[in-house]
Amino acid sequence: MPQEVRYEPAIAVLLPCYNEELTIADVVRRFRETLPTAAIYVYDNNSRDLTALRARAAGATVIREPRQGKGNVVRRMFADIEADIYLMADGDGTYAPEDAPQLINTLLTERSDMVVGTRRGVTDDAGRTGHAFGNSVFNRLYKWLFGSEFTDIFSGYRAFTRRFVKSFPAVSGGFEIETEMSVHASQLKLPVSEIGLDYGRRPEGSSSKLSTYRDGAKILWMFAMLMKETQPLRFFGAFAVLFLASSLFLMMPVLIEFVETGLVPRMPTWVLSVGLLLLSMLAAVTGLILDSVSRGRAEQKRIFYLSMPSGRVERERTGAPSTLKTGAGKTPRAA
């Protein structure tokens, strides 16, 4: 009787790091205990401490990414690593490696392409008051602009399928990368899941790399750019309505005066109102044209995403969706 072949998905743990020498060794060790045969990669983003040395000593493959910013690191990780399942976390110890099997099992059993480990209570206490308030505001803004699929768009603890990773463009350079991932999934209507997880605090002596105002401004800019790219009709339509309202506000008194007297004494106001009306029409036409372009791009991205093998057929044939045994992915040259 032929022996049944078991499919064991290759799991890669990806840890972007910048000055995390106090925590990275413990994070790597706990991931090795939780996922014993997973390949663990630490991407050192120009750390000025002993992050790389501590990670390598703990058993991780360490690779250096010279372009500063988490988005640049994620783009490099997704391009370098070959695996069936990708698990991304931070190296600061705020995400528990012991929760990794739950993320992976959800990815497999719910047939999702991305599972987000949402942080319990993060909008009430994100370590700093400004961060908590910003998380609450940005999550509500995201729901209004892009949809209600996500409740914590800034979580860095995520599991992905290979076809999500290899079809994700990763344009962002900094901490906006999680927002871009969420918008990518929302635009293509990919199957996603969320799991509520406990969120820890950094140990004493370890500080956050986030700047409340600078990174908040970057995220707002990213929201605007992603809306322009994915919803141009709505984006330019807002400008069209604004210009139209301003034009009518300036134009109506001049028109009323012209009807009553047959004169146009405020010619500059009339010229400005007509100019605003033309800008309104231009913005509306631009939105209509770019909406067709955006739809075409979304269709192409969807087709490319579907062309990537999901691995589900093989798992279903062999009956191995629940296994957490791992094989190492293709290892790039370490720094």
mmCIF file of all heavy atoms in Angstrom, residues 226-270:
data_model
loop_
_atom_site.group_PDB
_atom_site.id
_atom_site.type_symbol
_atom_site.label_atom_id
_atom_site.label_comp_id
_atom_site.label_asym_id
_atom_site.label_seq_id
_atom_site.Cartn_x
_atom_site.Cartn_y
_atom_site.Cartn_z
ATOM 1 N N LEU A 226 -3.155 56.793 -1.361
ATOM 2 C CA LEU A 226 -3.829 55.530 -1.645
ATOM 3 C C LEU A 226 -5.265 55.762 -2.108
ATOM 4 O O LEU A 226 -5.776 55.024 -2.958
ATOM 5 C CB LEU A 226 -3.813 54.636 -0.399
ATOM 6 C CG LEU A 226 -2.442 54.061 -0.022
ATOM 7 C CD1 LEU A 226 -2.501 53.360 1.322
ATOM 8 C CD2 LEU A 226 -1.962 53.083 -1.098
ATOM 9 N N MET A 227 -5.909 56.778 -1.554
ATOM 10 C CA MET A 227 -7.260 57.103 -2.017
ATOM 11 C C MET A 227 -7.213 57.603 -3.458
ATOM 12 O O MET A 227 -8.074 57.258 -4.276
ATOM 13 C CB MET A 227 -7.893 58.137 -1.101
ATOM 14 C CG MET A 227 -9.363 58.381 -1.403
ATOM 15 S SD MET A 227 -10.121 59.533 -0.259
ATOM 16 C CE MET A 227 -11.792 59.579 -0.920
ATOM 17 N N LYS A 228 -6.206 58.432 -3.775
ATOM 18 C CA LYS A 228 -6.065 58.916 -5.151
ATOM 19 C C LYS A 228 -5.830 57.756 -6.122
ATOM 20 O O LYS A 228 -6.362 57.757 -7.239
ATOM 21 C CB LYS A 228 -4.890 59.893 -5.229
ATOM 22 C CG LYS A 228 -4.591 60.403 -6.637
ATOM 23 C CD LYS A 228 -3.437 61.367 -6.638
ATOM 24 C CE LYS A 228 -2.123 60.686 -6.372
ATOM 25 N NZ LYS A 228 -1.703 59.815 -7.530
ATOM 26 N N GLU A 229 -5.051 56.767 -5.699
ATOM 27 C CA GLU A 229 -4.732 55.642 -6.577
ATOM 28 C C GLU A 229 -5.870 54.639 -6.691
ATOM 29 O O GLU A 229 -6.097 54.071 -7.759
ATOM 30 C CB GLU A 229 -3.468 54.934 -6.072
ATOM 31 C CG GLU A 229 -2.209 55.763 -6.130
ATOM 32 C CD GLU A 229 -1.816 56.110 -7.549
ATOM 33 O OE1 GLU A 229 -2.022 55.274 -8.447
ATOM 34 O OE2 GLU A 229 -1.311 57.225 -7.772
ATOM 35 N N THR A 230 -6.575 54.391 -5.599
ATOM 36 C CA THR A 230 -7.590 53.337 -5.600
ATOM 37 C C THR A 230 -9.018 53.848 -5.783
ATOM 38 O O THR A 230 -9.880 53.114 -6.250
ATOM 39 C CB THR A 230 -7.527 52.529 -4.282
ATOM 40 O OG1 THR A 230 -7.803 53.400 -3.172
ATOM 41 C CG2 THR A 230 -6.139 51.919 -4.106
ATOM 42 N N GLN A 231 -9.280 55.115 -5.388
ATOM 43 C CA GLN A 231 -10.615 55.698 -5.526
ATOM 44 C C GLN A 231 -10.524 57.103 -6.119
ATOM 45 O O GLN A 231 -10.913 58.087 -5.479
ATOM 46 C CB GLN A 231 -11.310 55.755 -4.165
ATOM 47 C CG GLN A 231 -11.441 54.415 -3.469
ATOM 48 C CD GLN A 231 -12.138 54.539 -2.131
ATOM 49 O OE1 GLN A 231 -13.154 55.229 -1.982
ATOM 50 N NE2 GLN A 231 -11.611 53.876 -1.130
ATOM 51 N N PRO A 232 -10.013 57.231 -7.341
ATOM 52 C CA PRO A 232 -9.816 58.570 -7.914
ATOM 53 C C PRO A 232 -11.110 59.348 -8.122
ATOM 54 O O PRO A 232 -11.109 60.579 -8.006
ATOM 55 C CB PRO A 232 -9.112 58.283 -9.250
ATOM 56 C CG PRO A 232 -9.456 56.865 -9.566
ATOM 57 C CD PRO A 232 -9.552 56.170 -8.248
ATOM 58 N N LEU A 233 -12.200 58.660 -8.428
ATOM 59 C CA LEU A 233 -13.463 59.374 -8.624
ATOM 60 C C LEU A 233 -13.911 60.048 -7.332
ATOM 61 O O LEU A 233 -14.356 61.204 -7.326
ATOM 62 C CB LEU A 233 -14.541 58.415 -9.134
ATOM 63 C CG LEU A 233 -15.904 59.049 -9.455
ATOM 64 C CD1 LEU A 233 -15.754 60.146 -10.511
ATOM 65 C CD2 LEU A 233 -16.891 57.984 -9.913
ATOM 66 N N ARG A 234 -13.782 59.342 -6.240
ATOM 67 C CA ARG A 234 -14.145 59.908 -4.944
ATOM 68 C C ARG A 234 -13.174 61.018 -4.547
ATOM 69 O O ARG A 234 -13.570 62.040 -3.997
ATOM 70 C CB ARG A 234 -14.138 58.791 -3.896
ATOM 71 C CG ARG A 234 -14.726 59.170 -2.560
ATOM 72 C CD ARG A 234 -14.731 57.952 -1.649
ATOM 73 N NE ARG A 234 -15.209 58.272 -0.317
ATOM 74 C CZ ARG A 234 -15.189 57.416 0.696
ATOM 75 N NH1 ARG A 234 -14.745 56.184 0.508
ATOM 76 N NH2 ARG A 234 -15.624 57.766 1.878
ATOM 77 N N PHE A 235 -11.891 60.821 -4.824
ATOM 78 C CA PHE A 235 -10.865 61.796 -4.455
ATOM 79 C C PHE A 235 -11.043 63.102 -5.226
ATOM 80 O O PHE A 235 -11.163 64.181 -4.638
ATOM 81 C CB PHE A 235 -9.478 61.200 -4.721
ATOM 82 C CG PHE A 235 -8.332 62.096 -4.374
ATOM 83 C CD1 PHE A 235 -7.858 62.160 -3.081
ATOM 84 C CD2 PHE A 235 -7.713 62.866 -5.348
ATOM 85 C CE1 PHE A 235 -6.785 62.985 -2.742
ATOM 86 C CE2 PHE A 235 -6.649 63.699 -5.029
ATOM 87 C CZ PHE A 235 -6.184 63.753 -3.723
ATOM 88 N N PHE A 236 -11.064 63.003 -6.550
ATOM 89 C CA PHE A 236 -11.203 64.210 -7.362
ATOM 90 C C PHE A 236 -12.625 64.762 -7.310
ATOM 91 O O PHE A 236 -12.845 65.959 -7.518
ATOM 92 C CB PHE A 236 -10.786 63.925 -8.806
ATOM 93 C CG PHE A 236 -9.306 63.762 -8.970
ATOM 94 C CD1 PHE A 236 -8.736 62.503 -9.032
ATOM 95 C CD2 PHE A 236 -8.471 64.874 -9.050
ATOM 96 C CE1 PHE A 236 -7.363 62.345 -9.174
ATOM 97 C CE2 PHE A 236 -7.102 64.728 -9.198
ATOM 98 C CZ PHE A 236 -6.542 63.461 -9.260
ATOM 99 N N GLY A 237 -13.598 63.879 -7.041
ATOM 100 C CA GLY A 237 -14.968 64.349 -6.891
ATOM 101 C C GLY A 237 -15.114 65.293 -5.711
ATOM 102 O O GLY A 237 -15.905 66.257 -5.766
ATOM 103 N N ALA A 238 -14.354 65.033 -4.629
ATOM 104 C CA ALA A 238 -14.406 65.925 -3.468
ATOM 105 C C ALA A 238 -13.904 67.322 -3.844
ATOM 106 O O ALA A 238 -14.483 68.340 -3.442
ATOM 107 C CB ALA A 238 -13.567 65.348 -2.330
ATOM 108 N N PHE A 239 -12.831 67.377 -4.645
ATOM 109 C CA PHE A 239 -12.330 68.680 -5.100
ATOM 110 C C PHE A 239 -13.332 69.343 -6.045
ATOM 111 O O PHE A 239 -13.510 70.565 -6.013
ATOM 112 C CB PHE A 239 -10.979 68.518 -5.798
ATOM 113 C CG PHE A 239 -9.843 68.263 -4.857
ATOM 114 C CD1 PHE A 239 -9.347 66.994 -4.661
ATOM 115 C CD2 PHE A 239 -9.266 69.308 -4.149
ATOM 116 C CE1 PHE A 239 -8.301 66.754 -3.798
ATOM 117 C CE2 PHE A 239 -8.221 69.092 -3.278
ATOM 118 C CZ PHE A 239 -7.725 67.794 -3.096
ATOM 119 N N ALA A 240 -13.970 68.530 -6.891
ATOM 120 C CA ALA A 240 -14.957 69.086 -7.819
ATOM 121 C C ALA A 240 -16.114 69.736 -7.055
ATOM 122 O O ALA A 240 -16.566 70.838 -7.400
ATOM 123 C CB ALA A 240 -15.477 67.992 -8.748
ATOM 124 N N VAL A 241 -16.595 69.078 -6.026
ATOM 125 C CA VAL A 241 -17.690 69.634 -5.221
ATOM 126 C C VAL A 241 -17.239 70.897 -4.499
ATOM 127 O O VAL A 241 -17.982 71.895 -4.419
ATOM 128 C CB VAL A 241 -18.191 68.580 -4.214
ATOM 129 C CG1 VAL A 241 -19.165 69.202 -3.221
ATOM 130 C CG2 VAL A 241 -18.859 67.423 -4.953
ATOM 131 N N LEU A 242 -16.012 70.900 -3.972
ATOM 132 C CA LEU A 242 -15.491 72.069 -3.265
ATOM 133 C C LEU A 242 -15.375 73.274 -4.211
ATOM 134 O O LEU A 242 -15.805 74.393 -3.863
ATOM 135 C CB LEU A 242 -14.127 71.740 -2.666
ATOM 136 C CG LEU A 242 -13.410 72.888 -1.946
ATOM 137 C CD1 LEU A 242 -14.221 73.345 -0.741
ATOM 138 C CD2 LEU A 242 -12.007 72.452 -1.514
ATOM 139 N N PHE A 243 -14.813 73.055 -5.405
ATOM 140 C CA PHE A 243 -14.687 74.147 -6.370
ATOM 141 C C PHE A 243 -16.050 74.642 -6.838
ATOM 142 O O PHE A 243 -16.263 75.845 -7.024
ATOM 143 C CB PHE A 243 -13.856 73.698 -7.574
ATOM 144 C CG PHE A 243 -12.400 73.476 -7.266
ATOM 145 C CD1 PHE A 243 -11.700 72.435 -7.853
ATOM 146 C CD2 PHE A 243 -11.734 74.319 -6.394
ATOM 147 C CE1 PHE A 243 -10.364 72.237 -7.570
ATOM 148 C CE2 PHE A 243 -10.390 74.136 -6.111
ATOM 149 C CZ PHE A 243 -9.698 73.085 -6.694
ATOM 150 N N LEU A 244 -16.984 73.694 -7.048
ATOM 151 C CA LEU A 244 -18.324 74.075 -7.495
ATOM 152 C C LEU A 244 -19.036 74.912 -6.438
ATOM 153 O O LEU A 244 -19.661 75.937 -6.757
ATOM 154 C CB LEU A 244 -19.138 72.835 -7.829
ATOM 155 C CG LEU A 244 -20.583 73.077 -8.289
ATOM 156 C CD1 LEU A 244 -20.597 73.919 -9.567
ATOM 157 C CD2 LEU A 244 -21.312 71.753 -8.500
ATOM 158 N N ALA A 245 -18.942 74.496 -5.180
ATOM 159 C CA ALA A 245 -19.591 75.252 -4.103
ATOM 160 C C ALA A 245 -18.984 76.656 -3.986
ATOM 161 O O ALA A 245 -19.715 77.648 -3.816
ATOM 162 C CB ALA A 245 -19.448 74.499 -2.782
ATOM 163 N N SER A 246 -17.658 76.750 -4.096
ATOM 164 C CA SER A 246 -17.009 78.066 -4.021
ATOM 165 C C SER A 246 -17.417 78.941 -5.202
ATOM 166 O O SER A 246 -17.665 80.150 -5.040
ATOM 167 C CB SER A 246 -15.483 77.893 -3.999
ATOM 168 O OG SER A 246 -15.071 77.112 -2.895
ATOM 169 N N SER A 247 -17.518 78.327 -6.391
ATOM 170 C CA SER A 247 -17.902 79.076 -7.576
ATOM 171 C C SER A 247 -19.319 79.637 -7.445
ATOM 172 O O SER A 247 -19.564 80.813 -7.728
ATOM 173 C CB SER A 247 -17.810 78.187 -8.817
ATOM 174 O OG SER A 247 -18.324 78.848 -9.959
ATOM 175 N N LEU A 248 -20.246 78.801 -7.004
ATOM 176 C CA LEU A 248 -21.639 79.252 -6.851
ATOM 177 C C LEU A 248 -21.762 80.323 -5.769
ATOM 178 O O LEU A 248 -22.555 81.269 -5.904
ATOM 179 C CB LEU A 248 -22.544 78.064 -6.526
ATOM 180 C CG LEU A 248 -22.701 77.025 -7.638
ATOM 181 C CD1 LEU A 248 -23.541 75.855 -7.158
ATOM 182 C CD2 LEU A 248 -23.322 77.661 -8.877
ATOM 183 N N PHE A 249 -20.982 80.181 -4.695
ATOM 184 C CA PHE A 249 -21.015 81.164 -3.611
ATOM 185 C C PHE A 249 -20.592 82.552 -4.118
ATOM 186 O O PHE A 249 -21.187 83.577 -3.750
ATOM 187 C CB PHE A 249 -20.099 80.711 -2.479
ATOM 188 C CG PHE A 249 -20.003 81.689 -1.351
ATOM 189 C CD1 PHE A 249 -21.023 81.800 -0.416
ATOM 190 C CD2 PHE A 249 -18.888 82.518 -1.223
ATOM 191 C CE1 PHE A 249 -20.930 82.710 0.625
ATOM 192 C CE2 PHE A 249 -18.792 83.440 -0.187
ATOM 193 C CZ PHE A 249 -19.812 83.529 0.742
ATOM 194 N N LEU A 250 -19.570 82.584 -4.972
ATOM 195 C CA LEU A 250 -19.106 83.864 -5.514
ATOM 196 C C LEU A 250 -19.961 84.341 -6.684
ATOM 197 O O LEU A 250 -20.113 85.544 -6.910
ATOM 198 C CB LEU A 250 -17.640 83.735 -5.965
ATOM 199 C CG LEU A 250 -16.611 83.448 -4.868
ATOM 200 C CD1 LEU A 250 -15.249 83.166 -5.481
ATOM 201 C CD2 LEU A 250 -16.534 84.612 -3.884
ATOM 202 N N MET A 251 -20.519 83.396 -7.434
ATOM 203 C CA MET A 251 -21.224 83.742 -8.667
ATOM 204 C C MET A 251 -22.635 84.273 -8.422
ATOM 205 O O MET A 251 -23.104 85.179 -9.136
ATOM 206 C CB MET A 251 -21.282 82.500 -9.573
ATOM 207 C CG MET A 251 -21.890 82.738 -10.936
ATOM 208 S SD MET A 251 -21.987 81.192 -11.888
ATOM 209 C CE MET A 251 -20.256 80.829 -12.137
ATOM 210 N N MET A 252 -23.345 83.730 -7.438
ATOM 211 C CA MET A 252 -24.753 84.078 -7.264
ATOM 212 C C MET A 252 -24.993 85.569 -7.014
ATOM 213 O O MET A 252 -25.893 86.164 -7.650
ATOM 214 C CB MET A 252 -25.354 83.239 -6.133
ATOM 215 C CG MET A 252 -25.500 81.764 -6.472
ATOM 216 S SD MET A 252 -26.341 81.461 -8.051
ATOM 217 C CE MET A 252 -27.960 82.145 -7.696
ATOM 218 N N PRO A 253 -24.246 86.240 -6.134
ATOM 219 C CA PRO A 253 -24.496 87.687 -5.957
ATOM 220 C C PRO A 253 -24.274 88.485 -7.237
ATOM 221 O O PRO A 253 -25.015 89.440 -7.516
ATOM 222 C CB PRO A 253 -23.475 88.085 -4.879
ATOM 223 C CG PRO A 253 -23.177 86.830 -4.163
ATOM 224 C CD PRO A 253 -23.228 85.755 -5.190
ATOM 225 N N VAL A 254 -23.270 88.098 -8.031
ATOM 226 C CA VAL A 254 -23.000 88.798 -9.284
ATOM 227 C C VAL A 254 -24.142 88.582 -10.272
ATOM 228 O O VAL A 254 -24.583 89.517 -10.971
ATOM 229 C CB VAL A 254 -21.655 88.332 -9.881
ATOM 230 C CG1 VAL A 254 -21.373 89.047 -11.201
ATOM 231 C CG2 VAL A 254 -20.519 88.578 -8.901
ATOM 232 N N LEU A 255 -24.657 87.344 -10.345
ATOM 233 C CA LEU A 255 -25.769 87.049 -11.253
ATOM 234 C C LEU A 255 -27.031 87.800 -10.824
ATOM 235 O O LEU A 255 -27.772 88.322 -11.671
ATOM 236 C CB LEU A 255 -26.034 85.536 -11.273
ATOM 237 C CG LEU A 255 -25.027 84.677 -12.046
ATOM 238 C CD1 LEU A 255 -25.368 83.203 -11.882
ATOM 239 C CD2 LEU A 255 -25.010 85.054 -13.521
ATOM 240 N N ILE A 256 -27.288 87.836 -9.526
ATOM 241 C CA ILE A 256 -28.474 88.554 -9.041
ATOM 242 C C ILE A 256 -28.379 90.037 -9.393
ATOM 243 O O ILE A 256 -29.353 90.667 -9.856
ATOM 244 C CB ILE A 256 -28.622 88.355 -7.525
ATOM 245 C CG1 ILE A 256 -28.963 86.898 -7.215
ATOM 246 C CG2 ILE A 256 -29.696 89.284 -6.947
ATOM 247 C CD1 ILE A 256 -28.950 86.555 -5.735
ATOM 248 N N GLU A 257 -27.185 90.594 -9.218
ATOM 249 C CA GLU A 257 -26.998 92.009 -9.532
ATOM 250 C C GLU A 257 -27.130 92.271 -11.027
ATOM 251 O O GLU A 257 -27.667 93.294 -11.443
ATOM 252 C CB GLU A 257 -25.617 92.464 -9.040
ATOM 253 C CG GLU A 257 -25.431 93.970 -9.054
ATOM 254 C CD GLU A 257 -24.190 94.398 -8.324
ATOM 255 O OE1 GLU A 257 -23.419 93.513 -7.878
ATOM 256 O OE2 GLU A 257 -23.967 95.617 -8.184
ATOM 257 N N PHE A 258 -26.658 91.321 -11.836
ATOM 258 C CA PHE A 258 -26.777 91.471 -13.288
ATOM 259 C C PHE A 258 -28.237 91.426 -13.722
ATOM 260 O O PHE A 258 -28.678 92.192 -14.596
ATOM 261 C CB PHE A 258 -25.983 90.372 -13.991
ATOM 262 C CG PHE A 258 -26.155 90.365 -15.475
ATOM 263 C CD1 PHE A 258 -25.517 91.312 -16.273
ATOM 264 C CD2 PHE A 258 -26.971 89.415 -16.093
ATOM 265 C CE1 PHE A 258 -25.681 91.297 -17.648
ATOM 266 C CE2 PHE A 258 -27.142 89.407 -17.460
ATOM 267 C CZ PHE A 258 -26.492 90.349 -18.248
ATOM 268 N N VAL A 259 -29.049 90.531 -13.126
ATOM 269 C CA VAL A 259 -30.469 90.440 -13.470
ATOM 270 C C VAL A 259 -31.208 91.729 -13.090
ATOM 271 O O VAL A 259 -32.093 92.203 -13.814
ATOM 272 C CB VAL A 259 -31.101 89.213 -12.777
ATOM 273 C CG1 VAL A 259 -32.617 89.227 -12.938
ATOM 274 C CG2 VAL A 259 -30.526 87.929 -13.346
ATOM 275 N N GLU A 260 -30.843 92.304 -11.955
ATOM 276 C CA GLU A 260 -31.530 93.503 -11.475
ATOM 277 C C GLU A 260 -31.114 94.777 -12.213
ATOM 278 O O GLU A 260 -31.932 95.661 -12.458
ATOM 279 C CB GLU A 260 -31.275 93.668 -9.983
ATOM 280 C CG GLU A 260 -31.934 92.585 -9.123
ATOM 281 C CD GLU A 260 -31.569 92.722 -7.664
ATOM 282 O OE1 GLU A 260 -30.638 93.527 -7.357
ATOM 283 O OE2 GLU A 260 -32.192 92.039 -6.828
ATOM 284 N N THR A 261 -29.826 94.887 -12.570
ATOM 285 C CA THR A 261 -29.317 96.144 -13.141
ATOM 286 C C THR A 261 -28.794 96.017 -14.565
ATOM 287 O O THR A 261 -28.618 97.035 -15.250
ATOM 288 C CB THR A 261 -28.185 96.698 -12.266
ATOM 289 O OG1 THR A 261 -27.057 95.788 -12.309
ATOM 290 C CG2 THR A 261 -28.646 96.857 -10.827
ATOM 291 N N GLY A 262 -28.531 94.791 -15.002
ATOM 292 C CA GLY A 262 -27.938 94.605 -16.327
ATOM 293 C C GLY A 262 -26.457 94.924 -16.353
ATOM 294 O O GLY A 262 -25.852 94.988 -17.430
ATOM 295 N N LEU A 263 -25.833 95.085 -15.172
ATOM 296 C CA LEU A 263 -24.419 95.422 -15.086
ATOM 297 C C LEU A 263 -23.651 94.351 -14.305
ATOM 298 O O LEU A 263 -24.218 93.628 -13.478
ATOM 299 C CB LEU A 263 -24.244 96.783 -14.394
ATOM 300 C CG LEU A 263 -24.919 97.987 -15.060
ATOM 301 C CD1 LEU A 263 -24.776 99.226 -14.192
ATOM 302 C CD2 LEU A 263 -24.357 98.221 -16.461
ATOM 303 N N VAL A 264 -22.347 94.294 -14.599
ATOM 304 C CA VAL A 264 -21.465 93.383 -13.861
ATOM 305 C C VAL A 264 -20.319 94.230 -13.287
ATOM 306 O O VAL A 264 -19.214 94.278 -13.844
ATOM 307 C CB VAL A 264 -20.904 92.263 -14.768
ATOM 308 C CG1 VAL A 264 -20.086 91.277 -13.926
ATOM 309 C CG2 VAL A 264 -22.022 91.538 -15.491
ATOM 310 N N PRO A 265 -20.574 94.924 -12.184
ATOM 311 C CA PRO A 265 -19.553 95.816 -11.639
ATOM 312 C C PRO A 265 -18.376 95.089 -10.989
ATOM 313 O O PRO A 265 -17.278 95.613 -10.932
ATOM 314 C CB PRO A 265 -20.333 96.637 -10.611
ATOM 315 C CG PRO A 265 -21.457 95.752 -10.193
ATOM 316 C CD PRO A 265 -21.829 94.980 -11.421
ATOM 317 N N ARG A 266 -18.629 93.843 -10.499
ATOM 318 C CA ARG A 266 -17.553 93.106 -9.830
ATOM 319 C C ARG A 266 -16.967 92.069 -10.803
ATOM 320 O O ARG A 266 -17.122 90.854 -10.615
ATOM 321 C CB ARG A 266 -18.089 92.442 -8.569
ATOM 322 C CG ARG A 266 -18.472 93.460 -7.486
ATOM 323 C CD ARG A 266 -18.867 92.776 -6.197
ATOM 324 N NE ARG A 266 -20.169 92.107 -6.327
ATOM 325 C CZ ARG A 266 -20.716 91.351 -5.369
ATOM 326 N NH1 ARG A 266 -20.068 91.167 -4.232
ATOM 327 N NH2 ARG A 266 -21.895 90.804 -5.557
ATOM 328 N N MET A 267 -16.309 92.533 -11.828
ATOM 329 C CA MET A 267 -15.756 91.652 -12.850
ATOM 330 C C MET A 267 -14.711 90.665 -12.308
ATOM 331 O O MET A 267 -14.710 89.483 -12.693
ATOM 332 C CB MET A 267 -15.161 92.491 -13.986
ATOM 333 C CG MET A 267 -14.645 91.656 -15.149
ATOM 334 S SD MET A 267 -15.938 90.643 -15.913
ATOM 335 C CE MET A 267 -16.957 91.913 -16.673
ATOM 336 N N PRO A 268 -13.780 91.099 -11.425
ATOM 337 C CA PRO A 268 -12.811 90.111 -10.898
ATOM 338 C C PRO A 268 -13.488 88.940 -10.182
ATOM 339 O O PRO A 268 -13.056 87.791 -10.317
ATOM 340 C CB PRO A 268 -11.957 90.938 -9.933
ATOM 341 C CG PRO A 268 -12.056 92.335 -10.458
ATOM 342 C CD PRO A 268 -13.465 92.453 -10.966
ATOM 343 N N THR A 269 -14.550 89.242 -9.427
ATOM 344 C CA THR A 269 -15.277 88.166 -8.741
ATOM 345 C C THR A 269 -15.918 87.225 -9.750
ATOM 346 O O THR A 269 -15.909 85.993 -9.571
ATOM 347 C CB THR A 269 -16.360 88.757 -7.821
ATOM 348 O OG1 THR A 269 -15.754 89.641 -6.892
ATOM 349 C CG2 THR A 269 -17.098 87.662 -7.070
ATOM 350 N N TRP A 270 -16.476 87.776 -10.817
ATOM 351 C CA TRP A 270 -17.081 86.948 -11.856
ATOM 352 C C TRP A 270 -16.043 86.056 -12.544
ATOM 353 O O TRP A 270 -16.280 84.866 -12.757
ATOM 354 C CB TRP A 270 -17.777 87.844 -12.874
ATOM 355 C CG TRP A 270 -18.327 87.098 -14.052
ATOM 356 C CD1 TRP A 270 -17.833 87.048 -15.308
ATOM 357 C CD2 TRP A 270 -19.478 86.242 -14.053
ATOM 358 N NE1 TRP A 270 -18.590 86.248 -16.103
ATOM 359 C CE2 TRP A 270 -19.621 85.724 -15.357
ATOM 360 C CE3 TRP A 270 -20.419 85.892 -13.075
ATOM 361 C CZ2 TRP A 270 -20.646 84.874 -15.719
ATOM 362 C CZ3 TRP A 270 -21.454 85.023 -13.429
ATOM 363 C CH2 TRP A 270 -21.549 84.528 -14.739
#
